[in-house]
């Protein structure tokens, strides 16, 4: 099981350690630093590193490496999932998960880690339960605590801890009862030079914010559940009812949580809302090149494309870019070699265009690799897969809650090859 | 207000300040001071000097303060064992507290204090907590047993905590069950042979119930534990699968992968023609695809596992090629894994797509990735014959880019393509030769030289090309030198007239001026061959080479099977069996896939028809009869018939007479003769030990080498009294089938080591295969015929058994005594046809047909072999 955890900043500063069994010297991290060195980019550090006596399983999130040490055969996915959960908990507690916030809240962090794992076995990882055990810091609470001398550690056993619905605490009370659902879809796609999709799929999630009193039992149904053949549910969802009736029936956790995620595979036809016409070329001589990119709407179902951003990873030899954009602003960072063109809202009548010349390091040969483009975009009020929520019913409680569903489509890993 | 204030120091010295604050009368100040101490501890500062002062704060009713002190204690108790004793009283008291949170906290913390003296005091409170009325306390106590076991295993056993833990598997609370399973699994890892997790249908049922109700982490423990269970039949296996399948939709990827492991394993047992089998296969694809949309680290582990799954059951993901397409911002470790799986999934149906992708990758930035992509194109050519031409032209396009490392990689793989499709693509050689000068990597140079040598007769200036390499002969790597030597000899054999000088030159370079023994030896061999018999030289050097096989990097099937049982573990990430790298797991048990009830054919197996015949101890008709009857081969069907006078009574398994295995002259006077027997399902080795020496022999012990079926002594050899000169004693040694497996030649060979007070002696003997026929070897009658028909003819062996004067019923009865079961019988044209089945201890089924002509003493026996899975299970 998980033996120890080290938090290491991007700069290589080991700023927190926690051991759940015997203490392991931090020198074990030297193997990590070695791998980190070799990988050049922090993203490329291998997730599992073998050392003579231990295994280091690490994740890289928010510019922090979470490095765990294990000594016996443990499912690596288990460890990785847990580490992500730790990062999410920090985010949840402190608003962001960064070196500064962790250092600022080091005692709470330590208490949290102790509550989350016992002897390497996960103990309490549900945010609802943790918040009952250890209250998140707020300015108001720390003032109250200082005045009254009370603590931010719960004195009683969390109610949800042992019930068959460990994700919800008992005795929740709200004056206004609300349940909101966000259907968020991300399109992952690779388009080839000519603009046809080599591969496209949709990753969807339904995020929920449920603030309902008591023990409500909810049923969410869809207009077109047949779209969903590959789903992952929050533990609260009753799988049997999904199997038989294609409705989502659950007693929700209190507050924010991800109800389900789904995946609409490459085999279904995925609508591509945008097209890109591009021409990036480098001349054989003269150390220069040309760039010409136009973006236009494709299958947008009548909605507007917003927050459109085009990112180009240029070859190393590109020194600067002298371009003009008909809409939005562009910025070329000569250090990271990334060109970002922030377009904003897409106007179908007047398509945005970015055009101009690139100057290369003099004397350098023509770059061999083709740069590739990344697209970011957002479409409000649309789930590109066509998924629609039909209704939400509340059982077990008498009140009438406010209900709402929002749809949004974004570009995920949306890549255009040149 | 943030905690960063805890890091500020003053001039007086931090420790001094803290000490004062810890001893303050004000509660609030105390708590703040402990927080400062903890803050220092987290960043690795040594604050152990404050131990007594912090422990003094322990007796408090403030839960937060108590927790903080506990945190401190866990960290420093080890370095201050004497001081830590001071805390014991408070712990014991807290274990009796009315608040379950405090009881649990106390027992949990106590288990984390790794000091021997403290663990003694822990036993009583722990025993109480294991039976606590509150499940929260019980589940914490369950984990505490694992902690204690890690500190003092003997103590845990002596105190009977293991049994209490086992009882908790039946607890009413699912979380307690999950934690008990987790604790037992962890303990079991350091006790590979103990039977801690004794799984039977009842416990399995309890686990499955708990599975639905416990937390995600608990589900992982339970699923991993379930994967170790061997269901007794296909129905049980199906019902477990049905109850595990919903886990595939869990949001936690570790739960999903553990569920995949259970399903992949138990699926082995399901008949392939079952509808459910197909449904299950379909259900496995979506969750695997979903894993690939998770974070990169999760993707990596998932991909390593998918790599195994694709090799075992390619049908699951054969339509999902596109999800493995590489995105340019994938981390490099994900890219390389995706590429590997793409090649495994490549088939005629999708090869065009794959090639287009690979060509795209070959223009990327990352050099390692580009190289692998180019290699992948070559592998596609070798794997999918129809695509070879397209692959070669793609490679030529890439060579035209003149990017140095791309060209070199391309040449290396083109060499492999030539090996697979000789005399097909020589037209490209000219293009390759143009790039000769740019090659600077040994592998590429060697590949190019090989091509020139191999096709020397079609390259006009082959001698010039090779000569140009020869100039810097000594600076080349050994690989290139060897290749150059061979290529020039090939050239000489093809064009002897113009190249005499060249060959002289390379031979003298290789034999006289080189320090490399390989090179020198090869040089001498060529030299001698060429000077003594040029015709022979031609035959040797220009011999036709075997074609290279389709996939060179497949995981060996037995290892693959074991790895499938370890899906989701470190072993699956490294593609190595756990025994190869997990520290401290002495004698890890090899896991294997269960047997399928109705068997499918696996073509790749070490058992060929003829050696199965020989293994059965029956001479195929063509072989000399003596071989079949030789006692060394052991009793088989022929022997089975020889026994007894033909009275129609089942006589039990046939036992061959003892033969001498170890001669006295070879073993300093110890003579051993013996035989094997199967009695009531137990395999025994009957030995007679004779002392032919002058002195008394004592201290006998026996050990087996690894063998084909994993035979191993089930216990020590019982020779109670010393063996005096000229005395003989008979010993019966029960055998188990749980030993390590390695294929032996012949299959039933067994190497034995016997030790006594004088020395260790080795001998080998062969056991009759009938020893391995198990009692439940009766095949399903309904599917016998269909299975029989499915067996291709080339996996059949036919032979005659001569001079047997029994009628078919008597024969059938007799064979049943040796666990050869007659499934059906029919009479056609005066011939009795007996259809029989045998099941071996490792799950292999053998079906046989026996024809008995009334009045003819010769039986004809047809034995097709059907093997459900690979027989061998190597390390």
């Amino acid at each position: 099981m998980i033996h120890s955890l080290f938090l290491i900043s991007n700069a290589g500063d080991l700023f927190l350690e926690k051991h759940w069994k015997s203490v392991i010297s931090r020198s074990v991290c030297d193997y990590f630093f070695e791998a980190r060195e070799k990988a050049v980019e922090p993203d490329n550090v291998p997730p599992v590193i073998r050392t003579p006596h231990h295994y280091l399983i690490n994740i890289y999130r928010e510019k922090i490496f979470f490095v765990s040490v294990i000594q016996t055969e443990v499912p690596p996915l288990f460890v990785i999932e847990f580490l992500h959960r730790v990062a999410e908990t920090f985010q949840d507690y402190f608003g962001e998960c960064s070196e500064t916030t962790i250092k600022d809240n080091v005692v709470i962090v330590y208490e949290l880690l102790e509550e989350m794992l016992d002897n390497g076995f996960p103990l309490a990882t549900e945010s609802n339960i943790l918040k009952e055990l250890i209250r998140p810091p707020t300015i108001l609470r720390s003032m109250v605590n200082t005045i009254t001398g009370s603590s931010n550690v719960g004195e009683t056993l969390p109610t949800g801890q042992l019930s068959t619905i460990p994700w919800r605490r008992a005795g929740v009370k709200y004056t206004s009862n609300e349940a909101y659902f966000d259907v968020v879809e991300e399109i992952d796609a690779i388009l080839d030079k000519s603009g046809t999709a080599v591969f496209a799929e949709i990753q969807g999630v339904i995020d929920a914010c449920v603030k309902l009193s008591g023990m409500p039992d909810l049923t969410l149904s869809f207009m077109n559940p047949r779209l969903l053949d590959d789903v992952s549910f929050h533990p609260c969802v009753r799988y049997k009812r999904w199997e038989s009736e294609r409705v989502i029936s659950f007693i929700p956790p209190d507050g924010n949580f991800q109800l389900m995620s789904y995946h609409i595979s490459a085999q279904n036809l995925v609508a591509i809302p945008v097209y890109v016409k591009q021409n990036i070329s480098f001349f054989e001589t003269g150390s220069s090149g040309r760039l010409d990119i136009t973006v236009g709407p494709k299958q947008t179902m009548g909605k507007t494309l917003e927050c459109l951003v085009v990112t180009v990873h240029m070859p190393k030899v590109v020194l600067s870019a002298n371009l003009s954009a008909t809409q939005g602003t562009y910025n070329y960072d000569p250090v990271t070699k990334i060109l970002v063109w922030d377009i904003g809202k897409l106007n179908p009548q007047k398509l945005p265009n970015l055009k101009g010349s690139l100057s290369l390091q003099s004397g350098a040969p023509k770059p061999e690799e083709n740069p590739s483009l990344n697209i970011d975009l957002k479409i409000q009020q649309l789930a590109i897969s066509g998924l629609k929520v039909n209704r939400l019913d509340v059982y077990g409680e008498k009140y009438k809650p406010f209900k709402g569903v929002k749809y949004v489509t974004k570009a995920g890993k949306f890549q255009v090859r040149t | 207000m943030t905690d960063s204030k805890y890091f500020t120091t003053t001039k007086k010295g931090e420790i001094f300040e803290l000490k004062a604050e810890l001893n303050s009368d004000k509660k609030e100040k105390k708590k703040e001071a402990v927080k400062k101490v903890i803050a220092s501890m987290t960043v690795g500062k040594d604050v152990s000097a404050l131990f007594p002062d912090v422990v003094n704060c322990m007796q408090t009713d403030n839960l937060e303060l108590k927790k903080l002190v506990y945190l401190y204690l866990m960290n420093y108790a080890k370095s201050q064992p004497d001081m830590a004793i001071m805390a014991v009283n408070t712990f014991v008291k807290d274990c009796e507290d009315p608040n379950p949170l405090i009881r649990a906290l106390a027992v949990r913390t106590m288990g984390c204090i790794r000091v021997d003296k403290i663990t003694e005091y822990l036993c009583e409170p722990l025993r109480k907590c294991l039976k606590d009325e509150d499940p929260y306390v019980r589940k914490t106590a369950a984990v505490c047993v694992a902690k204690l076991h890690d500190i003092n295993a003997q103590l845990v056993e002596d105190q009977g905590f293991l049994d209490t833990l086992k009882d908790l598997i039946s607890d009413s609370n699912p979380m307690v069950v999950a934690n008990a399973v987790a604790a037992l699994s962890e303990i079991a890892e350091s006790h590979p042979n103990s039977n801690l997790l004794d799984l039977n249908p009842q416990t399995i049922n309890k686990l499955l119930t708990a599975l639905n109700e416990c937390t995600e982490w608990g589900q992982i423990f339970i699923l991993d534990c379930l994967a170790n269970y061997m269901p007794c039949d296909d129905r049980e296996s199906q019902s477990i699968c049905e109850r595990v399948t919903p886990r595939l939709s869990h949001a936690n990827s570790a739960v999903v992968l553990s569920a995949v492991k259970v399903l992949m394993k138990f699926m082995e047992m399901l008949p392939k023609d079952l509808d459910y089998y197909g449904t299950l296969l379909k259900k496995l694809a979506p969750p695997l695809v979903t894993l690939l949309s998770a974070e990169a680290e999760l993707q990596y582990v998932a991909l390593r596992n998918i790599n195994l799954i694709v090799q075992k059951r390619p049908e699951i993901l054969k339509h999902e090629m596109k999800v493995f397409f590489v995105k340019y911002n994938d981390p490099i470790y994900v890219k390389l894994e995706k590429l590997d799986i793409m090649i495994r999934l490549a088939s005629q149906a999708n090869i065009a797509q794959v090639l287009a992708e690979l060509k795209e990758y070959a223009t990327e930035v990352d050099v390692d990735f580009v190289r692998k992509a180019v290699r992948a194109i070559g592998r596609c050519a070798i794997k999918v014959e129809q695509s070879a031409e397209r692959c070669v032209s793609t490679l030529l396009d890439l060579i035209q880019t003149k990017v140095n490392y791309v060209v070199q990689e391309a040449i290396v793989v083109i060499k492999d393509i030539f090996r697979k499709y000789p005399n097909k693509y020589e037209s490209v050689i000219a293009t390759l030769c143009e790039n000769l000068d740019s090659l600077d990597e040994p592998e590429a140079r060697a590949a190019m030289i090989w091509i020139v040598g191999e096709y020397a007769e079609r390259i006009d200036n082959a001698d010039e090309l090779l000569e140009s390499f020869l100039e810097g002969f000594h600076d080349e790597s050994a690989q290139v030198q060897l290749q150059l030597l061979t290529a020039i000899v090939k050239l000489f054999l093809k064009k002897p007239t113009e190249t005499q000088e060249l060959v002289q030159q390379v031979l003298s370079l290789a034999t006289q001026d080189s320090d490399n023994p390989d090179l020198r030896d090869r040089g001498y061999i060529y030299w001698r061959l060429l000077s003594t018999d040029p015709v022979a030289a031609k035959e040797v050097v220009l011999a036709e080479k075997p074609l290279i096989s389709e996939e060179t990097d497949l995981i060996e099937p037995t290892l693959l099977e074991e790895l499938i049982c370890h899906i989701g573990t470190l072993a699956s990430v490294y593609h190595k069996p756990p025994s190869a790298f997990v520290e401290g797991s002495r004698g890890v048990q090899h896991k294997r896939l269960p047997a399928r009830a109705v068997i499918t054919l696996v073509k790749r197996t070490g058992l060929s028809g003829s050696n199965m015949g020989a293994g059965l101890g029956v001479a195929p008709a063509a072989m000399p009869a003596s071989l079949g009857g030789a006692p060394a081969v052991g009793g088989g069907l022929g022997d089975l018939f020889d026994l007894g006078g033909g009275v129609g009574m089942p006589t039990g398994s046939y036992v061959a007479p003892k033969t001498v295995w170890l001669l006295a002259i070879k073993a300093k006077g110890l003579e051993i003769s013996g035989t094997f027997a199967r009695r009531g399902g137990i395999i025994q080795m009957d030995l007679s030990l004779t002392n032919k020496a002058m002195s008394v022999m004592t201290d006998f012990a026996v050990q087996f080498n690894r063998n084909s079926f994993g035979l191993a002594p089930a216990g020590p050899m019982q020779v109670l009294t010393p063996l005096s000169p000229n005395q003989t004693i008979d010993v019966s040694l029960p055998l188990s089938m749980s030993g390590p497996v390695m294929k032996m030649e012949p299959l039933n060979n067994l190497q034995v080591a016997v030790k006594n007070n004088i020395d260790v002696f080795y001998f080998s003997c062969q056991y009759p295969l009938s020893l391995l026929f198990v009692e439940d070897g009766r095949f399903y009658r309904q599917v016998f015929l269909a299975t029989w028909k499915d067996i291709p003819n080339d996996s059949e062996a036919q032979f005659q058994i001569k001079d047997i004067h029994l009628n078919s019923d008597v024969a059938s009865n007799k064979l049943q005594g040796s666990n050869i079961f007659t499934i059906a019988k029919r009479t056609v044209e005066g011939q009795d046809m007996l259809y029989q089945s045998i099941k071996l201890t490792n799950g292999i089924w053998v079906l046989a047909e026996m024809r008995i002509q009334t009045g003819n003493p010769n039986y004809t026996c047809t034995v097709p072999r059907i093997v459900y899975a690979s027989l061998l299970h190597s390390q």
Side-chain angles (χ1 to χ4, degrees), chain B residues 402-646:
Chain B
K402 303 276 176 198
V403 180
N404 189 275
Y405 51 86
V406 175
V407 174
Q408 310 215 38
E409 262 335 294
I411 286 180
V412 172
V413 297
I414 287 180
K415 184 200 92 175
D416 286 343
I417 296 177
F418 281 174
R419 288 282 318 263
K420 171 78 180 177
Y421 310 107
N423 304 321
K424 222 170 154 185
Y425 299 108
E426 289 76 60
S427 51
V428 308
I429 292 176
T431 323
L432 301 186
C433 290
E434 287 166 20
N435 292 287
L436 212 57
D437 299 332
S438 65
L439 307 180
D440 52 10
E441 289 163 24
E443 207 182 349
R445 286 172 82 85
M448 192 63 217
I449 292 168
W450 182 87
I451 293 171
V452 174
E454 192 65 16
Y455 294 96
E457 66 274 30
R458 313 194 194 181
I459 305 172
D460 294 334
N461 59 344
D463 47 343
E464 282 171 37
L465 293 176
L466 291 176
E467 201 171 355
S468 70
F469 280 106
L470 205 54
E471 281 160 18
F473 189 77
H474 289 300
D475 303 328
E476 299 283 0
S477 73
Q479 186 186 12
V480 179
Q481 289 177 336
L482 284 166
Q483 209 51 263
L484 193 55
L485 172 62
T486 306
I488 291 178
V489 172
K490 280 183 193 163
L491 173 72
F492 171 72
L493 289 167
K494 287 172 178 173
K495 299 181 182 171
T497 46
E498 314 110 81
T499 55
Q500 197 125 23
E501 210 173 297
L502 194 61
V503 81
Q504 285 285 350
Q505 205 184 338
V506 76
L507 286 175
S508 76
L509 277 173
T511 53
Q512 284 158 25
D513 302 339
S514 169
D515 298 332
N516 182 335
D518 285 347
L519 186 65
R520 265 201 325 257
D521 284 358
R522 197 186 284 194
Y524 278 125
I525 291 170
Y526 283 146
W527 203 325
R528 201 162 294 176
L529 262 174
L530 291 174
S531 54
T532 51
D533 189 351
V535 183
K538 221 168 189 160
E539 274 172 31
V540 172
V541 181
L542 301 181
E544 218 164 280
K545 278 161 275 305
L547 297 182
I548 57 172
S549 73
E550 258 180 35
E551 290 195 61
T552 40
D553 59 342
L554 278 180
I555 295 177
E556 195 250 330
T558 52
L559 175 61
L560 181 63
E561 269 198 23
E562 185 172 0
L563 290 177
I564 289 284
C565 298
H566 288 281
I567 282 177
T569 64
L570 279 173
S572 72
V573 173
Y574 285 102
H575 290 185
K576 280 182 189 156
S579 49
F581 65 94
V582 176
E583 215 172 79
S585 55
R586 24 196 176 100
V588 175
Q589 280 186 339
H590 289 276
K591 294 185 185 170
R592 50 190 315 170
L593 293 174
R596 187 188 293 286
V598 175
I599 301 106
T600 50
L601 270 162
V602 177
K603 281 180 189 146
R604 299 177 50 156
T605 159
L607 267 180
S608 76
S610 65
N611 82 17
M612 190 64 185
L616 281 171
V618 182
M623 289 169 75
S626 62
L627 200 126
V633 179
L637 286 178
D639 294 333
L640 300 178
F641 285 116
D642 288 344
L643 184 86

Side-chain angles (χ1 to χ4, degrees), chain A residues 55 73 81 104 152 230 233, chain B residues 3 64 249 253 290 570 581:
Chain A
Y55 291 86
E73 177 68 89
E81 277 278 359
D104 282 352
N152 63 340
D230 180 3
F233 292 120
Chain B
D3 292 350
E64 187 181 17
S249 294
S253 61
T290 304
L570 279 173
F581 65 94

Side-chain angles (χ1 to χ4, degrees), chain B residues 114-276:
Chain B
R114 308 175 63 86
V115 176
D116 273 342
K117 280 183 201 157
I118 289 212
T119 47
E120 283 167 29
Y121 293 102
L122 176 60
C123 290
E124 275 323 301
L126 178 59
R127 198 187 314 281
K128 264 188 214 150
C129 288
L130 279 167
K131 304 225 157 102
D132 199 284
E133 53 173 18
D134 194 300
Y136 183 75
V137 180
R138 290 204 297 278
K139 94 176 180 147
T140 313
V143 175
C144 189
V145 176
K147 292 180 195 169
L148 191 57
H149 186 271
D150 192 35
I151 304 168
N152 190 343
Q154 197 54 48
L155 184 73
V156 170
E157 275 170 50
D158 294 347
Q159 297 279 336
F161 285 139
L162 292 182
D163 292 322
T164 324
L165 206 49
K166 279 190 216 168
D167 293 341
L168 286 183
I169 291 187
S170 313
D171 198 279
S172 56
N173 185 291
M175 275 318 300
V176 179
V177 177
N179 273 14
V181 168
L184 280 171
S185 304
E186 189 177 80
I187 295 173
E189 210 167 304
S190 51
H191 278 261
N193 292 320
S194 64
N195 211 4
L196 279 177
L197 278 160
D198 183 22
L199 299 175
N200 55 49
Q202 284 85 37
T203 46
I204 289 296
N205 202 21
K206 276 176 196 143
L207 291 181
L208 285 168
T209 313
L211 181 63
N212 288 326
E213 290 169 5
C214 65
T215 67
E216 47 198 313
W217 314 107
Q219 292 182 12
I220 300 169
F221 298 137
I222 292 183
L223 286 168
D224 284 347
C225 174
L226 274 178
N228 290 329
Y229 177 63
M230 280 279 181
C232 37
D233 57 19
D234 51 325
R235 242 181 306 152
E236 188 185 7
S237 165
Q238 178 175 346
S239 86
I240 295 176
C241 286
E242 277 166 358
R243 293 176 72 176
V244 167
T245 319
R247 299 299 126 211
L248 292 176
S249 294
H250 202 286
N252 185 321
S253 61
V255 174
V256 175
L257 202 58
S258 289
V260 168
K261 163 164 58 186
V262 174
L263 296 174
M264 281 293 287
K265 191 173 170 189
F266 290 177
M267 239 171 120
E268 280 298 309
M269 285 189 75
L270 301 176
K272 270 200 167 167
D273 46 0
L274 197 71
D275 285 345
Y276 181 71

Side-chain angles (χ1 to χ4, degrees), chain A residues 185 187 202 270-273 299-301 379 382-387 409:
Chain A
E185 296 195 341
I187 310 170
I202 297 171
V270 172
I272 305 289
Q299 295 153 283
T300 59
M301 324 282 171
I379 309 171
L382 173 74
I384 196 94
S385 68
L387 186 74
T409 297

Side-chain angles (χ1 to χ4, degrees), chain A residues 26 55 73 76 81 85 104 110 114-115 118 125 151-152 154-155 161 198 203 230 232-233 263 313 417, chain B residues 3 42-43 63-64 67 99 108 136 147 216-217 249 253 286 289-290 293 319 328 357 568 570 581:
Chain A
R26 52 167 68 190
Y55 291 86
E73 177 68 89
E81 277 278 359
R85 207 60 62 83
D104 282 352
Y110 219 67
E114 183 60 27
E115 253 355 292
D118 176 22
T125 53
S151 79
N152 63 340
E155 300 269 340
Q161 180 86 323
V198 178
Q203 311 289 352
D230 180 3
S232 305
F233 292 120
H263 172 251
H313 289 250
R417 288 176 179 160
Chain B
D3 292 350
T42 55
V43 290
L63 190 62
E64 187 181 17
K67 277 191 175 180
N99 184 346
R108 180 170 133 207
Y136 183 75
K147 292 180 195 169
E216 47 198 313
W217 314 107
S249 294
S253 61
V289 171
T290 304
S293 52
H319 299 302
Y328 82 98
E357 279 295 304
L570 279 173
F581 65 94

Side-chain angles (χ1 to χ4, degrees), chain B residues 529-754:
Chain B
L529 262 174
L530 291 174
S531 54
T532 51
D533 189 351
V535 183
K538 221 168 189 160
E539 274 172 31
V540 172
V541 181
L542 301 181
E544 218 164 280
K545 278 161 275 305
L547 297 182
I548 57 172
S549 73
E550 258 180 35
E551 290 195 61
T552 40
D553 59 342
L554 278 180
I555 295 177
E556 195 250 330
T558 52
L559 175 61
L560 181 63
E561 269 198 23
E562 185 172 0
L563 290 177
I564 289 284
C565 298
H566 288 281
I567 282 177
T569 64
L570 279 173
S572 72
V573 173
Y574 285 102
H575 290 185
K576 280 182 189 156
S579 49
F581 65 94
V582 176
E583 215 172 79
S585 55
R586 24 196 176 100
V588 175
Q589 280 186 339
H590 289 276
K591 294 185 185 170
R592 50 190 315 170
L593 293 174
R596 187 188 293 286
V598 175
I599 301 106
T600 50
L601 270 162
V602 177
K603 281 180 189 146
R604 299 177 50 156
T605 159
L607 267 180
S608 76
S610 65
N611 82 17
M612 190 64 185
L616 281 171
V618 182
M623 289 169 75
S626 62
L627 200 126
V633 179
L637 286 178
D639 294 333
L640 300 178
F641 285 116
D642 288 344
L643 184 86
V647 190
M649 261 171 60
T651 51
S653 186
Y654 166 76
V655 180
K658 281 182 183 162
T659 48
V660 177
W661 284 338
L662 182 67
L663 290 170
I665 44 166
K666 284 193 181 160
K668 302 187 181 165
L670 176 67
E671 186 180 277
I672 298 180
S673 59
T675 185
F676 293 91
R678 189 180 180 93
R679 298 187 181 100
I682 293 166
I683 301 174
Q684 284 177 322
M685 187 183 196
D686 295 339
L687 294 167
S688 294
L689 310 176
T690 309
N691 184 354
K692 297 201 169 171
M694 305 303 280
S695 58
V696 176
M697 293 178 181
T698 54
D699 304 335
F700 286 95
V702 65
Q703 218 166 22
F704 293 176
N705 195 0
R706 293 188 285 175
N707 54 74
S708 312
F709 291 90
L711 277 175
M717 186 158 69
Q718 301 289 340
V719 183
L720 299 171
T721 47
L723 193 58
S724 17
N726 278 325
Q727 193 195 348
T728 297
I729 54 166
D730 290 334
V731 206
S732 208
L733 183 67
L735 306 184
S736 73
M737 310 298 293
S738 56
V741 173
M742 183 176 74
K743 192 192 169 191
M744 297 297 293
E745 198 58 50
L747 214 55
N748 57 341
N749 198 14
L750 179 67
Q751 293 174 337
V752 183
V754 171

Side-chain angles (χ1 to χ4, degrees), chain B residues 311-470:
Chain B
Q311 288 184 58
K312 178 77 189 161
R313 295 192 182 280
E315 64 271 30
I316 294 176
L317 287 169
K318 69 178 171 204
H319 299 302
E320 301 289 349
M321 171 63 90
K322 283 187 175 176
V323 298
F324 299 103
F325 285 180
V326 172
K327 294 173 189 116
Y328 82 98
N329 48 2
D330 284 335
I332 181 72
Y333 54 81
V334 167
K335 283 183 176 172
L336 296 176
E337 289 307 316
K338 280 187 173 174
L339 201 53
D340 217 39
I341 295 171
M342 278 174 70
I343 300 161
R344 296 206 194 281
L345 287 175
S347 69
Q348 207 186 329
N350 56 23
I351 193 77
Q353 258 181 343
V354 174
L355 270 182
E357 279 295 304
L358 292 176
K359 200 173 168 187
E360 194 70 45
Y361 303 160
T363 64
E364 280 219 22
V365 199
D366 193 293
V367 178
D368 282 343
F369 180 58
V370 170
R371 281 174 183 274
K372 193 150 180 183
V374 176
R375 273 198 193 216
I377 297 175
R379 275 169 67 187
C380 284
I382 289 164
K383 192 176 171 197
V384 186
E385 189 165 353
Q386 293 83 353
S387 75
E389 196 150 347
R390 209 160 0 166
C391 294
V392 171
S393 80
T394 309
L395 287 169
L396 283 180
D397 287 351
L398 289 173
I399 289 177
Q400 299 303 349
T401 63
K402 303 276 176 198
V403 180
N404 189 275
Y405 51 86
V406 175
V407 174
Q408 310 215 38
E409 262 335 294
I411 286 180
V412 172
V413 297
I414 287 180
K415 184 200 92 175
D416 286 343
I417 296 177
F418 281 174
R419 288 282 318 263
K420 171 78 180 177
Y421 310 107
N423 304 321
K424 222 170 154 185
Y425 299 108
E426 289 76 60
S427 51
V428 308
I429 292 176
T431 323
L432 301 186
C433 290
E434 287 166 20
N435 292 287
L436 212 57
D437 299 332
S438 65
L439 307 180
D440 52 10
E441 289 163 24
E443 207 182 349
R445 286 172 82 85
M448 192 63 217
I449 292 168
W450 182 87
I451 293 171
V452 174
E454 192 65 16
Y455 294 96
E457 66 274 30
R458 313 194 194 181
I459 305 172
D460 294 334
N461 59 344
D463 47 343
E464 282 171 37
L465 293 176
L466 291 176
E467 201 171 355
S468 70
F469 280 106
L470 205 54

